[in-house]
Amino acid sequence: MINANKNILFTGTVLAFCVILFVHVFLFPLYAVNPSHSSLRVFMDFEKSLCSSNYIKSKKTWSKQQCPKYGVVTTMQGGRLGNQMWEYASVWAVARRTGLEPYIPRCIRIKLDQVFDSLSVPTFEEIAHCPVDMSTFVKSLDAWNYTYQSIVLPRYSVQPDIVLTWVQDIIQEFSFKKKLVNKSQNILRLVAKNNSQSIFVGVHVRRTDYISYLWRKYSMLPANTSFYYGAMKYFQDKYTNVIFIIVSDDPAWCIKKFSRKKNVYITSKKFINSPSLDLAILSSCNHSIIDYGTFGVWGAILAGGETIFYNVSHHSTVRLGQILPNWHTLA
Ligand SMILES: *[C@@H]1O[C@H](CO)[C@@H](O)[C@H](O)[C@H]1NC(C)=O
Ligand SMILES: *[C@@H]1O[C@H](CO)[C@@H](O)[C@H](O)[C@H]1NC(C)=O
Ligand SMILES: *[C@@H]1O[C@H](CO)[C@@H](O)[C@H](O)[C@H]1NC(C)=O
Ligand SMILES: *[C@@H]1O[C@H](CO)[C@@H](O)[C@H](O)[C@H]1NC(C)=O
Ligand SMILES: *[C@@H]1O[C@H](CO)[C@@H](O)[C@H](O)[C@H]1NC(C)=O
Ligand SMILES: *[C@@H]1O[C@H](CO)[C@@H](O)[C@H](O)[C@H]1NC(C)=O
C-alpha cells in the first residue's frame, strides 16, 4: 500500500516535470523569437528579444530617464560588423525622419563601441524599466502612421535612401577610435614609404561564403580578376603615385592574383587584422574599389572618394550608386 502510494507520487512528479519541461523547451523558444508576445513587459525584456548574441553582463538597470512619451524606433540584431552598421544607421536615420526616439539594443552598441568613438544613439538601458506595448509596433517606415506607434526594423535591414540623405552626418557618427586611425595612418605611411603625394585606393575583395550567397540569391558568379584589374587601371590612368590597398576575407587568393603588381599592398598577408582595423584602413583611403557586401560598402562610404563597384543587378549597392554622385561601375 505504502509502495503503491509512493509509485503514484513518483509518477505524478515525473508527469509534472514533463509538463514543465514541455512548456519550457517547446513553448518558451517560440516566445523568444517572437517579440510580439505579451510576456515582454518592460524594455529590458524587449531588448533581449532583439539580440542574437549573448551580451548582458550586469542586470543592473537605471531609472534615470523618463519613459518615452511617443513611439520609439529600434532594430533586431543580425550579421557581422557591416550589417550591424546598417542596422544602427537605419535606426538613426528613421528616427530623424519620423521624430521618434531611437534606441539601439546593447548587443549592437557594445560591438560598435569597440570600433567607433562617438555614437549618439542610446541603448535600452536608459529606459529599461519602462513598460513596452508590443501592439504599437510596426516593422517599417512605410507601415508607420502616427507618433504613438513604434518601429522595430528587421535584422539585416539596409536603407540607403534614408541613411544617405545625411551622408556627411553618418560619416561623423561612425568616427573611428583614435587608436584605429593612428594604426591605419601608420600602415599607409609605411606602405607609401613616406611619399606624401601618394593616392591610396582601397580595394575590398569579398569571397569565402559570399560566393555561394551570390549564386543562391542572384545566380551570379563572383567578380573575376578582369573586374579588379579594370578598376585598378582606371585609377592608374587617372593619377600618378597610386597605391592599392587590398582588404579581403581571402588574402591567399589575393596574394595569388595581385602580388606580382608592384604598387599593391595586401593587408593580413602575414598577420590577420581585426575587421575593425581593416575597415579603418579602407576608410583612410582616398578612393575605393568594391565588389559586394556591406563591409566594403561602408569602407567606401566612410572613405568618401570616387568608388567603382561591381554591378550585381537588384543588389543594394546598385541603389547606392544611383544616390551617391561619385559612385559608378565600369561600362
Ligand atoms: C496604417 O495605415 C495603413 C494604410 O495607410 C492602414 O492599412 C493601417 O490600418 C493603418 N494602421 C493603423 C494601426 O492605423
Ligand atoms: C600613434 O602611432 C605612433 C607610431 O606607432 C606612436 O608612436 C604613437 O604613440 C601613437 N599615438 C597614439 C595616440 O596612439
Ligand atoms: C618616414 O618618416 C619618418 C619621420 O617623418 C621617419 O622616422 C621614417 O624613418 C621614415 N620612413 C621611411 C621608410 O622613409
Ligand atoms: C570575367 O567575367 C566576365 C563576365 O563577368 C567575362 O566576360 C570575362 O571573360 C571573365 N574574364 C576572365 C579572365 O575569366
Ligand atoms: C589621401 O589619403 C591620405 C591618407 O588618409 C591622406 O593623408 C591624404 O591627405 C589624402 N590625399 C588627398 C589628396 O586627399
Ligand atoms: C547593371 O547591369 C544591368 C544589366 O546588365 C544594366 O541594365 C544596368 O544599367 C547596369 N547598371 C549599372 C549601374 O551599370
Side-chain angles (χ1 to χ4, degrees):
M1 204 52 204
I2 288 169
N3 263 350
N5 265 346
K6 261 192 186 160
N7 266 342
I8 289 166
L9 201 69
F10 179 71
T11 313
T13 309
V14 168
L15 226 96
F17 181 72
C18 287
V19 168
I20 290 167
L21 199 72
F22 175 81
V23 167
H24 272 83
V25 173
F26 294 100
L27 297 185
F28 280 9
L30 287 183
Y31 301 161
V33 295
N34 181 7
S36 66
H37 192 263
S38 59
S39 70
L40 305 173
R41 284 185 301 270
V42 292
F43 277 106
M44 191 178 66
D45 309 322
F46 175 59
E47 179 185 63
K48 250 179 261 178
S49 74
L50 300 173
C51 289
S52 59
S53 61
N54 239 340
Y55 64 96
I56 295 177
K57 293 183 195 95
S58 78
K59 292 237 158 42
K60 192 173 163 195
T61 58
W62 288 269
S63 313
K64 60 183 169 190
Q65 185 146 315
Q66 280 197 333
C67 293
K69 198 164 160 224
Y70 301 106
V72 303
V73 51
T74 190
T75 180
M76 296 190 74
Q77 179 193 35
R80 285 179 283 184
L81 182 56
N83 286 112
Q84 293 189 43
M85 287 173 74
W86 273 117
E87 287 155 6
Y88 179 97
S90 301
V91 167
W92 172 89
V94 168
R96 273 199 174 190
R97 177 64 54 81
T98 57
L100 296 178
E101 287 179 28
Y103 289 96
I104 205 81
R106 266 178 288 177
C107 46
I108 294 181
R109 179 67 197 252
I110 285 168
K111 171 128 188 141
L112 298 183
D113 275 339
Q114 294 164 4
V115 188
F116 305 110
D117 238 356
S118 49
L119 299 175
S120 67
V121 177
T123 67
F124 284 102
E125 209 158 64
E126 312 265 343
I127 54 166
H129 61 289
C130 297
V132 55
D133 179 0
M134 288 312 303
S135 69
T136 66
F137 274 82
V138 295
K139 287 183 176 157
S140 71
L141 185 54
D142 292 336
W144 183 74
N145 295 343
Y146 55 94
T147 52
Y148 288 101
Q149 225 167 18
S150 290
I151 302 175
V152 54
L153 299 168
R155 55 173 62 98
Y156 310 119
S157 63
V158 173
Q159 316 228 5
D161 285 85
I162 180 164
V163 169
L164 299 175
T165 306
W166 302 284
V167 62
Q168 285 313 317
D169 293 344
I170 198 65
I171 290 173
Q172 283 296 311
E173 187 76 19
F174 288 134
S175 295
F176 284 90
K177 286 181 146 343
K178 302 263 182 313
K179 221 172 82 185
L180 288 170
V181 174
N182 196 31
K183 260 193 185 170
S184 46
Q185 288 295 343
N186 285 342
I187 289 170
L188 294 188
R189 207 175 312 126
L190 205 69
V191 172
K193 301 192 174 66
N194 279 349
N195 181 352
S196 61
Q197 303 298 308
S198 297
I199 294 294
F200 300 99
V201 176
V203 185
H204 189 240
V205 179
R206 182 79 164 86
R207 290 179 62 79
T208 62
D209 56 321
Y210 215 89
I211 293 175
S212 59
Y213 172 77
L214 272 178
W215 184 251
R216 259 185 291 125
K217 178 119 192 241
Y218 301 100
S219 303
M220 276 196 71
L221 292 170
N224 60 27
T225 49
S226 308
F227 166 71
Y228 304 105
Y229 290 170
M232 287 158 95
K233 181 174 185 319
Y234 172 88
F235 283 114
Q236 212 143 15
D237 291 347
K238 192 161 175 175
Y239 302 104
T240 47
N241 294 318
V242 182
I243 296 176
F244 298 102
I245 309 290
I246 299 186
V247 168
S248 180
D249 54 346
D250 189 356
W253 188 83
C254 296
I255 290 166
K256 218 159 50 187
K257 302 294 183 188
F258 301 109
S259 61
R260 247 170 292 149
K261 293 180 175 287
K262 85 176 178 313
N263 55 344
V264 160
Y265 173 80
I266 300 166
T267 71
S268 296
K269 194 171 168 177
K270 288 201 194 103
F271 308 103
I272 301 292
N273 284 348
S274 67
S276 43
L277 179 57
D278 270 344
L279 190 67
I281 291 171
L282 286 177
S283 306
S284 299
C285 290
N286 307 105
H287 304 291
S288 311
I289 297 170
I290 60 173
D291 42 23
Y292 21 68
T294 54
F295 189 87
V297 162
W298 276 114
I301 292 174
L302 299 182
E306 185 175 356
T307 299
I308 294 178
F309 62 93
Y310 190 66
N311 184 2
V312 180
S313 302
H314 311 301
H315 196 285
S316 57
T317 311
V318 174
R319 182 68 194 129
L320 273 119
Q322 293 165 344
I323 301 169
L324 296 172
N326 52 356
W327 284 44
H328 57 96
T329 58
L330 286 181

